Amino acid sequence: MAEVNYVMEALKFMVLGMGVVFLFLFILVIVVELQAKLIAKYFPENTPIKTPATPAVDTEDESRRVAAIIAAVTEFRKNKS
Amino acid sequence: MRLKQLLISLLFILVSLTTMIQADEEHKGANEAQTTAHKEYHPKSLSELGVSFLETTGIKAIVDTNDGEMSSDPAGESKEHKLGAFESSFGRIIMILIVFLLFYLAIAKGFEPLLLIPIAFGGLLANIPLAHMAGPEGMLGVIYNMGIANEFFPLLIFMGVGAMTDFAPLLANPKTALLGGAAQFGIFGSLVGAVVLGFDIQDASAISIIGGADGPTSIFIANRLAPDMLGAIAVAAYSYMALVPVIQPPIMRALTTKEERQIKMGVQRRVHRLEKLLFPIVVLMLSIMILPESTPLIGAFAFGNFAKESGVVDRLSDTMQNSLINTVTIFLGLGVGSKLAADKFLVLESLGIMIIGLLAFSAGTAMGVLMAKLMNKFSKEPINPLIGAAGVSAVPMSARVVSKVGAEEKPGNVLLMHAMGPNVAGVIGSAVAAGVLLSIFK
């Protein structure tokens, strides 16, 4: 029986291993790119609408509340006198 | 009414207890012949007591090399053998000194202390004479059999790593995943090197996985392919991971020009939440179709990541990222440490493993950088070749190293997020490579 050349075997492992790793990652890249396109098309993000709106509402709310307090206090003082 | 119920239930408990005790006694009676009874005690003089005590001291066990002490192995007596003169004396002392060196590296130099401290302390405990802590009934042996012999702990760690990983940088620039593939050349290149050095091809495969720069994967594969070398492989993997900031930069500089290192990369796009949510599923589906052998690792990883990205089970993902992974790290470290016993670690093979491990890390880094250079030539957007070095997994250490080298060449050039892409792809790549190796030796 011929002596097995283990270095050759190891080189074969290398070809197989690197081939599978690259194949796997290559398919992964394609799928992920496709997925990004599909998601961008069918589920566009709509985040920018919300953010600027909140602080404006807040300040308005605050001034209204202050106005209400002032009104209440003046009414109370009027009643007292 | 309540009282009555209580009384009845108490009665039941009492009845069942007494029957159990009776059964137990019968059992004991049957076994009495087999179990060794108490030795009959003979009166001893004080000098006799002193001598018999001295017989059991560690000093005596270390000095007397011919006391017929047995080695201990978690697998039990079938794997144990009588310790040689060197193994039971100087071997232990050398191992304890190595353990102290590991302590020094972990504490003073900050080399992966979270793992090196438990591993080294496990090694210290495993080298205690007479205590047999690494045996099937010792603490280390129990831990080893609980989760390392059956590959459970590495998978739990992988789960936690999955829950900690953010794939956004990879999703923003998927092409960089190929760099994580190129760096796996470290595994297969060093496989050839190990065979040339004279290792059996199965052992060589187990050793070469160090090039994947991934602790849990290394332990997983070592346990399947070459359990006797587990200690040396794990220690080599973790010490080289800790040495990434020392090993990588010279290779990165040698293979790139100054202009290449100064390349600036654009700002990454925002990644949609759905993309991140679907990614672990996509990876798992691919590995199911192409390489089911790698699914224990990738499955655990994908589960951790999915739990994180789902956003509705923060408690679970938090546990995986913190308390669970910390608990498992303690056990994993101590269990691996049990393989640092002198009779297992102080063999010529350990030296070979250390050399091949270094070779594997260097080859992986070099191939990643070269691949990035190639991609830079053909890509529309510029790619800084330095990020190829992050393709060896070692998350997030190697990405940080890349960022640091990049910033040294051109202040203000932040490559960290760009390097994270190949970095996390490297984790997937090494799990796939591990699956290939397992499929060969099935």
Side-chain angles (χ1 to χ4, degrees):
Chain A
M1 210 178 92
E3 183 95 342
V4 184
N5 186 346
Y6 283 111
V7 179
M8 267 322 282
E9 288 298 303
L11 285 171
K12 282 184 226 161
F13 285 12
M14 186 200 276
V15 173
L16 175 75
M18 289 306 282
V20 173
V21 170
F22 268 116
L23 178 76
F24 188 97
L25 290 173
F26 191 71
I27 299 175
L28 185 67
V29 170
I30 292 172
V31 172
V32 164
E33 279 180 346
L34 189 75
Q35 173 194 302
K37 271 187 201 137
L38 286 178
I39 288 175
K41 194 173 170 192
Y42 293 106
F43 303 94
E45 284 194 278
N46 45 5
T47 34
I49 306 164
K50 266 184 185 170
T51 33
T54 32
V57 168
D58 253 359
T59 47
E60 205 176 297
D61 215 17
E62 192 63 18
S63 54
R64 265 190 208 156
R65 204 189 300 162
V66 171
I69 292 168
I70 293 170
V73 169
T74 40
E75 195 66 20
F76 177 72
R77 283 199 183 137
K78 227 190 267 170
N79 282 355
K80 222 182 179 186
S81 64
Chain B
M1 192 66 198
R2 277 273 173 83
L3 199 71
K4 217 173 170 183
Q5 276 179 344
L6 201 72
L7 279 175
I8 290 170
S9 54
L10 266 178
L11 200 72
F12 265 112
I13 291 171
L14 210 67
V15 167
S16 56
L17 265 180
T18 45
T19 48
M20 262 166 69
I21 288 168
Q22 267 177 357
D24 210 0
E25 269 169 3
E26 278 164 29
H27 189 70
K28 260 187 199 160
N31 270 1
E32 200 133 36
Q34 289 157 16
T35 51
T36 48
H38 268 284
K39 277 184 196 161
E40 208 176 318
Y41 185 78
H42 300 291
K44 285 176 185 165
S45 72
L46 200 59
S47 63
E48 270 177 336
L49 274 177
V51 168
S52 76
F53 176 75
L54 280 179
E55 292 275 302
T56 62
T57 55
I59 296 171
K60 193 249 166 195
I62 285 176
V63 172
D64 183 3
T65 54
N66 206 10
D67 51 358
E69 199 195 339
M70 298 294 284
S71 71
S72 39
D73 192 284
E77 279 173 18
S78 57
K79 285 218 159 187
E80 289 171 359
H81 59 94
K82 216 175 126 188
L83 282 176
F86 173 75
E87 286 167 345
S88 70
S89 57
F90 286 113
R92 289 191 200 280
I93 297 168
I94 293 172
M95 279 317 294
I96 289 175
L97 290 178
I98 290 179
V99 162
F100 286 161
L101 176 73
L102 291 177
F103 284 157
Y104 170 76
L105 290 177
I107 296 167
K109 299 277 174 187
F111 285 177
E112 295 274 327
L114 286 177
L115 271 146
L116 280 189
I117 294 257
I119 288 180
F121 213 96
L124 185 56
L125 297 179
N127 279 296
I128 297 173
L130 301 175
H132 290 290
M133 289 189 77
E137 270 112 45
M139 178 176 93
L140 300 178
V142 169
I143 291 174
Y144 188 90
N145 287 331
M146 188 167 73
I148 297 182
N150 54 18
E151 293 143 16
F152 182 49
F153 289 158
L155 294 179
L156 284 180
I157 299 263
F158 234 61
M159 212 152 99
V161 173
M164 284 196 259
T165 304
D166 181 8
F167 279 106
L170 180 66
L171 290 165
N173 198 355
K175 265 177 292 179
T176 55
L178 294 178
L179 299 173
Q184 304 314 316
F185 177 75
I187 296 179
F188 296 102
S190 62
L191 171 59
V192 177
V195 171
V196 171
L197 268 183
F199 278 99
D200 164 33
I201 196 151
Q202 188 162 343
D203 292 347
S205 306
I207 299 165
S208 63
I209 200 75
I210 298 173
D214 197 277
T217 311
S218 303
I219 293 172
F220 188 82
I221 294 295
N223 194 45
R224 286 268 183 104
L225 300 181
D228 290 338
M229 298 185 187
L230 181 77
I233 289 174
V235 170
Y238 282 115
S239 9
Y240 287 132
M241 267 163 78
L243 283 173
V244 156
V246 185
I247 299 172
Q248 285 199 319
I251 299 169
M252 286 152 72
R253 289 201 192 95
L255 290 174
T256 50
T257 62
K258 195 157 179 64
E259 292 81 60
E260 282 174 326
R261 286 194 295 268
Q262 290 182 334
I263 290 174
K264 250 192 137 103
M265 295 179 71
V267 181
Q268 286 184 341
R269 73 174 174 90
R270 261 182 65 89
V271 175
H272 196 286
R273 195 181 151 241
L274 262 180
E275 284 179 69
K276 291 209 261 179
L277 181 64
L278 287 176
F279 185 74
I281 303 292
V282 168
V283 173
L284 188 57
M285 287 299 157
L286 272 180
S287 63
I288 289 171
M289 284 188 283
I290 297 174
L291 200 64
E293 281 289 330
S294 67
T295 41
L297 286 167
I298 292 188
F301 190 73
F303 170 57
N305 193 249
F306 190 69
K308 172 188 177 240
E309 298 299 351
S310 72
V312 289
V313 285
D314 284 345
R315 282 163 47 180
L316 302 190
S317 103
D318 183 59
T319 304
M320 284 185 236
Q321 292 179 37
N322 299 297
S323 35
L324 183 62
I325 203 170
N326 289 344
T327 312
V328 176
T329 301
I330 295 171
F331 288 152
L332 188 79
L334 287 175
V336 168
S338 75
K339 291 280 176 184
L340 289 187
D343 57 299
K344 298 201 177 56
F345 193 83
L346 285 181
V347 284
L348 201 60
E349 278 135 16
S350 298
L351 193 68
I353 291 170
M354 289 289 165
I355 293 168
I356 295 162
L358 182 63
L359 186 84
F361 258 72
S362 313
T365 308
M367 205 60 180
V369 172
L370 290 178
M371 177 84 183
K373 271 175 90 131
L374 192 73
M375 278 176 75
N376 184 36
K377 290 254 164 38
F378 292 102
S379 160
K380 275 171 274 171
E381 305 133 26
I383 292 176
N384 190 319
L386 290 180
I387 68 168
V392 304
S393 6
V395 181
M397 184 84 86
S398 55
R400 282 202 205 119
V401 170
V402 168
S403 193
K404 193 161 159 270
V405 174
E408 273 167 18
E409 293 293 334
K410 188 172 190 179
N413 193 4
V414 183
L415 294 172
L416 184 65
M417 286 322 265
H418 295 285
M420 279 312 281
N423 210 187
V424 294
V427 179
I428 298 173
S430 53
V432 172
V436 174
L437 288 177
L438 286 181
S439 74
I440 292 173
F441 291 105
K442 241 176 82 160

